[in-house]
Amino acid sequence: MRPFLITSAQAGKLPRWGLLLLIALYVLPGLFGRDPWATQDAAGFGIAHTMATGSVSDWLMPNVAGAPVAEEGPLPFALGAVAIRVASVIVPGPQHVAHIATGMVGASGLVLLLSLFWYATYELAWRPSFQPHDPLGAAASRTDLARAIADSSLLVLIATVGMVTRAHETTAEAAQLVWSCAFLFGVARSLERPRRGALCAAAAVAATATTSGLVPAALLMSAWLALPLISQPFRLVARPLLTLGLPVAIAGALVWPALLWFGDEHSRAFLQTWLAWNTQQYGWPKAQALGYLLRTGPWYFWPAWPLAAWAGWRWRGRLGEPALALPLMVAAVFLIAASLLQSPGETGLLPALPAIAMVAAAGLPTLRRRLVNLIDWFAVIVWTFFGFAVWAYWLAYLSGLPPRMAFRASHIVPGYALEVSWLELGLAVAATLAWLALVRWRISRRPPMIWRAVVLSAGGLVLSWFLAMTLWLPVFNERNTYRGIAGQLAHAVPLGSQCVAADGLGLAERASLAYFADVRFAATGGGNSCDWRLIQDQGPVARAVPYPEPGWNLAWEGRRRPNLDERFRLYQRSGK
């Protein structure tokens, strides 16, 4: 690797008020002021709500109002259930505050994620071996450089396109991001505090097992065990890994399966289903999975992956350096696993994202000015255009002009009349002005700090996310919530505490109807004795006249306005 030098000016501190403001604008929008959204967000909320209102078995066997969900571990939803319980004590009564409580858990988790990621990067960048060679004594101090690298890595993580929506959902995938960053922090910390770091990393592995399954936990553990083979500093602290970290991780991962195994036959059947899901996720590489990775990865990991590729090239002779070895190993195992998924999706890409962002930060000190300017201009053009489009379509939605834009915008939720919230409008205007001021500062001042290359990328994504979650939040909420259809059902047919059998009902719909309309669904496979039956039709059949259901009388039929290819039918048993 060619030598480089970072001066005190280049390691200048990112103003803390600016960083905290950016984090607030990133974390808070999208978690509050909305209902649980279809599909994964509402389903995840439904598991937490069922736990909070159910029995001990609901905490051990995740389910949505009686429909088992063996594809998820209980840990993240148990945290949400605790928050719901606390909220019900603070705000007693039938008010719908449970989703606000889970939103607060999500916000806390996202802040914890960003904090752990910052400190993990700081621990690695602070090491003397990472510091540039400085025979003249002109370089920045170790603390200043490590802080600048950590600030830069956080900006890269915030700027990465693939994380913003998934991190704001009530899902196991969002929780797994927290555990991945906790693992990175624990392993990085183990270089200075071997036992404490090993315990933290082991706890993250155990949490992963009870959140995303045994395979992701095994991937983290395998990356941890492989580090001493490629990095000499990790070799020096390998003993606590083997004597403390590995046993604690295994013991923690087995607690929940052991509780199921020593339970009744239903819990053992749930455990077998969960174990089968773990083994069926992965197999031999398929062209579909590889194609998805090549097709989705470039935009999903943008702008982290080009910077990470640059870092790998510049540090190619020192890949055993902990600041490179740890994130590269974690990213490698998750990307390889993503190529082996039998049903490829964002779930396989998301855990690799923090590690790729950490690698990207290591390349920023050596980034050439031409590349910095290219990244800056790309961010300015793309995010300014995107912000302009958000504003333009919003104004067209309200005014009807120009007609073509208004027509396209109105098709998001046909027939929905958007009302202007002056508070949200004022916040959106302030965010837009802040973006313009940031662009002007970056272009006119040309600051020398190493984080200058990613500050516009982070600011632009935060602007676009903030505009979408303020100006367009009522529209998106109307499109993705089931509160309206639940209100129609509750108003038309007061079910009370009567049993309702579900037929073709998705998890998101089941969770929303149980929450907003207090529908008491029968457990899956146990609705034969119910006097009520709720059917969900999807696709072309939802537009056709329904066939009579022998032995049942149609009591109610409803649709969600955003989706005409979705119909709900409630039947009552004949003679009741």
Side-chain angles (χ1 to χ4, degrees):
M1 177 182 177
R2 294 174 57 187
F4 65 96
L5 181 67
I6 300 298
T7 64
S8 297
Q10 291 174 308
K13 182 180 180 180
L14 180 64
R16 281 303 174 261
W17 67 267
L19 184 60
L20 294 176
L21 177 61
L22 191 70
I23 291 173
L25 295 178
Y26 182 82
V27 170
L28 297 179
L31 285 172
F32 302 102
R34 65 171 180 86
D35 298 327
W37 283 355
T39 54
Q40 295 184 28
D41 182 60
F45 167 77
I47 298 175
H49 185 251
T50 302
M51 287 182 175
T53 57
S55 61
V56 175
S57 63
D58 295 312
W59 291 71
L60 290 176
M61 295 177 285
N63 67 92
V64 177
V69 185
E71 296 81 14
E72 308 281 6
L75 180 56
F77 311 107
L79 298 176
V82 171
I84 293 174
R85 285 282 186 93
V86 173
S88 64
V89 173
I90 298 176
V91 187
Q95 293 91 346
H96 294 135
V97 298
H99 65 288
I100 300 176
T102 56
M104 296 181 67
V105 173
S108 301
L110 193 47
V111 171
L112 179 62
L113 181 159
L114 298 175
S115 301
L116 289 169
F117 182 79
W118 190 95
Y119 280 105
T121 310
Y122 180 87
E123 289 281 346
L124 296 173
W126 187 81
R127 292 183 57 79
S129 58
F130 184 82
Q131 304 296 313
H133 183 61
D134 180 28
L136 302 178
S141 67
R142 289 171 58 185
T143 301
D144 289 344
L145 178 59
R147 185 177 55 208
I149 296 294
D151 290 345
S152 302
S153 69
L154 192 60
L155 292 177
V156 173
L157 185 65
I158 290 175
T160 305
V161 174
M163 192 179 84
V164 60
T165 55
R166 294 303 177 195
H168 289 81
E169 293 179 338
T170 309
T171 60
E173 288 78 14
Q176 183 55 51
L177 278 174
V178 182
W179 312 143
S180 296
C181 290
F183 175 81
L184 291 171
F185 171 75
V187 177
R189 186 62 175 166
S190 68
L191 293 171
E192 297 295 329
R193 297 288 187 272
R195 296 181 63 85
R196 294 181 183 178
L199 286 174
C200 179
V205 173
T208 296
T210 52
T211 297
S212 301
L214 296 177
V215 175
L219 292 174
L220 290 177
M221 201 70 233
S222 62
W224 195 6
L225 292 172
L227 282 174
L229 303 178
I230 64 173
S231 178
Q232 194 268 345
F234 286 110
R235 198 173 304 130
L236 297 177
V237 295
R239 184 174 180 179
L241 159 63
L242 299 174
T243 60
L244 182 63
L246 184 60
V248 170
I250 294 175
L254 293 179
V255 169
W256 175 56
L259 291 175
L260 292 176
W261 177 255
F262 290 107
D264 57 18
E265 60 176 312
H266 295 292
S267 63
R268 285 192 292 272
F270 187 93
L271 175 61
Q272 292 176 357
T273 305
W274 180 75
L275 291 174
W277 167 74
N278 276 273
T279 59
Q280 293 168 3
Q281 285 188 88
Y282 299 89
W284 292 105
K286 291 183 177 181
Q288 180 185 6
L290 294 174
Y292 179 86
L293 183 61
L294 295 175
R295 184 175 61 254
T296 307
W299 69 261
Y300 194 84
F301 296 121
W302 181 270
W305 74 264
L307 297 172
W310 171 262
W313 171 255
R314 287 304 305 267
W315 289 82
R316 60 190 182 276
R318 295 174 56 190
L319 295 181
E321 172 64 36
L324 278 296
L326 170 58
L328 281 175
M329 182 59 68
V330 172
V333 296
F334 277 115
L335 290 178
I336 292 173
S339 67
L340 302 179
L341 280 171
Q342 299 303 288
S343 299
E346 294 181 32
T347 303
L349 302 179
L350 196 60
L353 201 152
I356 294 176
M358 188 176 289
V359 177
L364 290 178
T366 64
L367 205 61
R368 296 174 181 175
R369 182 176 295 275
R370 291 181 180 178
L371 291 177
V372 172
N373 293 335
L374 179 63
I375 294 172
D376 277 348
W377 282 112
F378 182 84
V380 169
I381 293 172
V382 169
W383 294 119
T384 301
F385 174 79
F386 193 88
F388 173 79
V390 173
W391 274 108
Y393 275 97
W394 183 78
L395 292 173
Y397 196 114
L398 289 176
S399 65
L401 297 173
R404 180 170 295 183
M405 292 179 65
F407 176 77
R408 292 177 178 174
S410 64
H411 270 59
I412 299 177
V413 184
Y416 178 69
L418 176 63
E419 297 182 1
V420 178
S421 170
W422 295 107
L423 174 61
E424 293 175 351
L425 177 60
L427 293 174
V429 171
T432 304
L433 294 176
W435 164 249
L436 296 176
L438 179 63
V439 172
R440 182 180 181 278
W441 170 82
R442 173 65 184 90
I443 294 176
S444 61
R445 299 290 183 88
R446 300 191 179 188
M449 288 76 77
I450 60 176
W451 45 262
R452 72 192 186 280
V454 288
V455 67
L456 287 180
S457 296
L461 185 137
V462 169
L463 165 74
S464 301
W465 175 250
F466 190 83
L467 291 180
M469 292 296 104
T470 50
L471 297 177
W472 286 94
L473 184 61
V475 178
F476 292 153
N477 191 58
E478 183 70 16
R479 179 179 177 81
N480 293 292
T481 183
Y482 287 90
R483 182 193 287 261
I485 199 71
Q488 295 177 34
L489 173 60
H491 179 74
V493 184
L495 294 171
S497 59
Q498 300 184 67
C499 170
V500 178
D503 188 349
L505 204 64
L507 292 178
E509 294 85 345
R510 190 183 186 102
S512 300
L513 293 173
Y515 178 52
F516 290 116
D518 197 24
V519 177
R520 306 298 175 89
F521 288 106
T524 300
N528 294 331
S529 61
C530 294
D531 293 331
W532 295 89
R533 180 183 175 196
L534 183 63
I535 301 176
Q536 181 181 8
D537 299 319
Q538 291 185 323
V541 68
R543 294 177 178 265
V545 177
Y547 288 104
E549 297 287 337
W552 297 87
N553 298 321
L554 182 65
W556 169 82
E557 180 178 322
R559 299 176 185 268
R560 278 201 319 135
R561 177 166 45 192
N563 188 1
L564 297 179
D565 289 333
E566 184 181 45
R567 178 178 61 190
F568 297 87
R569 292 179 286 147
L570 180 67
Y571 288 90
Q572 185 179 23
R573 193 183 297 273
S574 299
K576 297 293 182 178

